[in-house]
Structure formats: C-alpha cells, structure tokens
Amino acid sequence: MLHFSGSLTRLVGELKKLPGVGEKSALRLAFHLLKYPGNIEALAESLMQVKEKVRFCSLCFAITEDDPCWICSGERDGATLCVVEEPQDLLALERSRAFRGRYHVLQGALSPLNGVTPRDLRIAELMQRLEGGEVREVLIATNFTVEGEATALYLTRMIKPLGIKVTRLAHGIPIGSDLEYVDAATVQRAVEGRSEL
Amino acid sequence: MLHFSGSLTRLVGELKKLPGVGEKSALRLAFHLLKYPGNIEALAESLMQVKEKVRFCSLCFAITEDDPCWICSGERDGATLCVVEEPQDLLALERSRAFRGRYHVLQGALSPLNGVTPRDLRIAELMQRLEGGEVREVLIATNFTVEGEATALYLTRMIKPLGIKVTRLAHGIPIGSDLEYVDAATVQRAVEGRSEL
C-alpha cells in the first residue's frame, strides 16, 4: 500500500476514523472513490462547506447554518420545550410532525463511567432558558438507554422544583410490530399505559 | 434536514454515493464528522491530495503517484506477468509475497451483460506488452467469478497463439478452513489438484 501512494494511504487512514469503517472497508471506499474522480472533488468540497458553514444554534444547540436556528427563530409554541441528546434525535422528532414546541439539544447524555458529567452537557444553558418563565412543560426525549434514563431522572429533579411540568415520551409497542417478538419489558409498559378506545 | 443546513444535506448526498452507504449511514457519518471538525478538514484534504497525485501507471495501469510505478521501474522478474482485474487484487498478491514478477491491471472484467467488452479493458495494452518478447509466462489472476473466468478464457485464447505459457491461480481449500464447511465444488478442485507429500 505504502509503496503505491502515500496520499492514498493517508486517505485510508482518515476513512478508518469513521464509525463502522475498518481497514478493509476504508480500502474499498478509497478504491471506489478513485474510480470516480468527480465524486472525490464533490465530497471534499461538501466536507469543507460543512466545516465552514455548520455551527450550533446559540439557543438550542441544534446544528444550523444561521444563528439562531430556524426553529428557535420560527413561530413555534414557546411553552413546551423538548430536550434531546443529539441533533439527530431532534430530526427524528421533526419527522414525526407530532411536536410543535421548541427544542434543547444536550449534546450527549450523562455517563459517569465515560466521564460525562452534567458540566459536559448543555444543562446550565437549559436551566437558564427555563428561568425565562415562558416554558410550562419540558418533554424529556433522551434515549431509553441507561445513560438516557439517568439523564432524564437528573433533569426531572432539577426542573420540577421550578414548578414546570416534566413529561417523558411514552413507552409501548412500536407500530407494525408482531407482539410475539416484542420484549417483555416493552409489553409490560404497553399494558400499564393502555388507553381506552 | 433541509431546514437545518444545505451544506449538510449536500454532504449526506455525497456520502450516499459510496458503496454500502445508504441514507441512514450517510446521516450517521455526517453527524459523526460534525463532532470532529479536525477530522473533516483532514478527510477533505486527503481526498484532494488523492485526486491530485494518484494516477494510473502507464505500463501496468496500477495506481501510483510516480509513473512508471515502483513495480514496473523496480527489479522484478520480467519473464512472468500477472494479470489482475483491479489494483486492489494486485495488493492482495503483493501481500502474499509469492509473486516476484510484474503485473498488468485490466481495470475490470469482461461482462457483456453490463456492457463491458474487451475494448473497455486494458487488453490491447497487455497484448502490446507481450509483443516485446520478454514475457514467457502470463499468470491470470482474475477473480473466480463468472466475469473473471470468462476474462481468463478470453485472454488464454489471445495469448496462447503467441507461444507464451498461460497459468491460472490454483483452486483449493483455503488455509484454516473446516472441511465440513467448504463448498463441494472447491473440495472437488482440491482433490483433483492434490499434491504428493
């Protein structure tokens, strides 16, 4: 490899840093790119554009090109605030079209084992936004993982004393699932949360 | 997505052109890159470097930064020439350290269904190299696929009349395999090609 091209070796090294890309996949991607020089240039350019233009919204910490972002500057329900871990979680909620309030992106979840403490997340900024008094309900939409649940618990304890309603996304059977294959804990939550028809 | 950042949408579009990368993986890669701005720049730079520096060797059509490549300009056995489909096949052979001759990269395999004819491959250039008279044996190392086998057959018919010996990589049981799990056709070839101890 080295003998062939130092720049190709470097590209393989950079590609290997991507999640889910090992030595073999990186080589495969590099050789694929070599076949399409037009794509190489387009990819390089779009990378530089992203680096130059994309930033975090100074209010909600979602990714944006304009600050504040289109949600913070748009006409959304300011009384409900949805807290998510990452910008991609915000995207998932927006795709559902079920939430019309504003967002706050924590940029992670509490994980003492990995050294992620409240100070590493955008929690101070969240509390500052809540002090404004406009928000009446905080919908905590962190992931249903150990870290996400711990973060939800932590935030609930911080926010409830302010007299703000704290809610959490519902647990239940995913749309289109076969009951047979749904795990017991999920079925249990679905029964507990059953609704009248 | 669109609302957030046009440049991010463009990056996702470019990443989706890579083999094995769909909409979801592309988004995941893009968000990963956003977390490491240093990596974005390094990746973009290494892409441009590859585009500028990497070319095909004018003799063997392997990828190289210097023309002719280090194999063509090095001290290798000029009497044996190994024909491969792609530059990455050449790498696999070099890693084995079993072949000390020179190479010729076809840049593909015959595939009439996909419109790949002999004219689309570096076959004319191969025949020209053989006319030099130095080569005594051509080892055909195209893949053992329908296209690779067809290409091997085609090349054999072209090269044999020149009085040059044509050989093919051996079939057999891969090192470290459980006989139980090796397909019948491979076992058959291994029996046919058995060697005395």
Side-chain angles (χ1 to χ4, degrees), chain A residues 110-111 116-125 154 158:
Chain A
L110 293 177
S111 174
V116 182
T117 67
R119 242 166 297 157
D120 300 308
L121 305 179
R122 300 300 186 165
I123 291 178
E125 291 89 343
Y154 181 88
M158 297 276 288

Side-chain angles (χ1 to χ4, degrees), chain A:
Chain A
M1 192 62 202
L2 264 171
H3 292 290
F4 284 90
S5 155
S7 54
L8 198 66
T9 308
R10 224 183 97 202
L11 175 59
V12 169
E14 288 302 325
L15 289 169
K16 265 164 63 184
K17 292 181 189 165
L18 296 173
V21 178
E23 176 86 32
K24 287 217 165 176
S25 318
L27 255 175
R28 186 161 149 257
L29 291 177
F31 277 115
H32 176 89
L33 283 166
L34 272 178
K35 282 207 160 181
Y36 304 96
N39 285 7
I40 295 189
E41 199 163 1
L43 180 56
E45 263 174 29
S46 64
L47 284 164
M48 290 315 293
Q49 285 266 319
V50 162
K51 191 176 145 55
E52 273 165 35
K53 290 193 179 170
V54 177
R55 67 196 73 190
F56 292 116
C57 170
S58 58
L59 285 171
C60 74
F61 300 97
I63 50 159
T64 183
E65 291 190 8
D66 311 302
D67 191 17
C69 74
W70 71 282
I71 292 182
C72 286
S73 59
E75 288 187 8
R76 304 285 287 239
D77 173 17
T80 52
L81 189 73
C82 178
V83 178
V84 294
E85 290 180 20
E86 299 287 352
Q88 46 269 52
D89 301 326
L90 189 163
L91 281 182
L93 279 153
E94 281 297 293
R95 274 197 295 267
S96 78
R97 292 165 192 266
F99 183 73
R100 305 309 299 160
R102 296 217 164 91
Y103 292 91
H104 191 83
V105 181
L106 294 174
Q107 300 190 327
L110 293 177
S111 174
L113 284 177
N114 296 315
V116 182
T117 67
R119 242 166 297 157
D120 300 308
L121 305 179
R122 300 300 186 165
I123 291 178
E125 291 89 343
L126 170 64
M127 299 316 288
Q128 209 170 10
R129 283 180 82 181
L130 297 180
E131 273 169 21
E134 199 196 356
V135 178
R136 303 243 193 82
E137 177 186 345
V138 173
L139 168 55
I140 302 182
T142 52
N143 291 322
F144 291 102
T145 56
V146 174
E147 289 83 6
E149 296 279 19
T151 311
L153 193 68
Y154 181 88
L155 290 178
T156 306
R157 285 190 187 151
M158 297 276 288
I159 299 167
K160 270 204 164 168
L162 305 178
I164 296 170
K165 190 171 151 188
V166 181
T167 54
R168 186 95 170 97
L169 286 179
H171 272 297
I173 316 288
I175 302 280
S177 333
D178 245 329
L179 258 188
E180 186 182 354
Y181 300 116
V182 177
D183 67 293
T186 301
V187 175
Q188 186 199 341
R189 297 290 192 101
V191 171
E192 286 165 8
R194 64 190 177 277
S195 59
E196 208 179 317
L197 294 178

Side-chain angles (χ1 to χ4, degrees), chain B residues 27-65:
Chain B
L27 255 175
R28 187 161 148 258
L29 291 178
F31 277 115
H32 177 88
L33 283 166
L34 272 178
K35 282 205 162 181
Y36 304 96
N39 285 7
I40 295 189
E41 200 163 0
L43 180 56
E45 263 175 30
S46 64
L47 283 164
M48 290 316 294
Q49 286 265 319
V50 162
K51 191 175 146 54
E52 272 164 36
K53 291 193 178 170
V54 177
R55 67 198 72 191
F56 293 116
C57 171
S58 58
L59 285 171
C60 74
F61 300 96
I63 50 159
T64 182
E65 291 189 10

Side-chain angles (χ1 to χ4, degrees), chain B residues 117 134 144:
Chain B
T117 67
E134 198 194 357
F144 291 101

Side-chain angles (χ1 to χ4, degrees), chain B residues 24-170:
Chain B
K24 288 217 166 176
S25 317
L27 255 175
R28 187 161 148 258
L29 291 178
F31 277 115
H32 177 88
L33 283 166
L34 272 178
K35 282 205 162 181
Y36 304 96
N39 285 7
I40 295 189
E41 200 163 0
L43 180 56
E45 263 175 30
S46 64
L47 283 164
M48 290 316 294
Q49 286 265 319
V50 162
K51 191 175 146 54
E52 272 164 36
K53 291 193 178 170
V54 177
R55 67 198 72 191
F56 293 116
C57 171
S58 58
L59 285 171
C60 74
F61 300 96
I63 50 159
T64 182
E65 291 189 10
D66 310 302
D67 191 16
C69 73
W70 72 281
I71 292 182
C72 287
S73 59
E75 286 186 11
R76 304 286 287 238
D77 172 17
T80 51
L81 189 72
C82 178
V83 177
V84 294
E85 292 180 20
E86 301 287 352
Q88 48 268 52
D89 301 326
L90 188 163
L91 282 183
L93 279 154
E94 281 297 296
R95 273 196 296 266
S96 79
R97 293 165 190 263
F99 182 73
R100 304 309 300 159
R102 297 218 164 93
Y103 292 92
H104 190 84
V105 181
L106 294 175
Q107 300 191 327
L110 293 177
S111 175
L113 284 176
N114 296 315
V116 183
T117 67
R119 242 166 299 156
D120 300 309
L121 304 179
R122 301 298 188 167
I123 291 178
E125 290 88 344
L126 170 64
M127 299 316 289
Q128 210 170 10
R129 285 180 81 180
L130 297 181
E131 273 167 24
E134 198 194 357
V135 178
R136 305 243 191 82
E137 177 186 345
V138 173
L139 167 55
I140 302 183
T142 53
N143 291 323
F144 291 101
T145 56
V146 175
E147 290 81 8
E149 296 278 19
T151 310
L153 194 67
Y154 180 88
L155 291 178
T156 307
R157 285 190 186 150
M158 298 274 288
I159 299 166
K160 269 204 164 167
L162 305 178
I164 296 170
K165 188 171 153 189
V166 181
T167 53
R168 185 97 170 95
L169 286 179

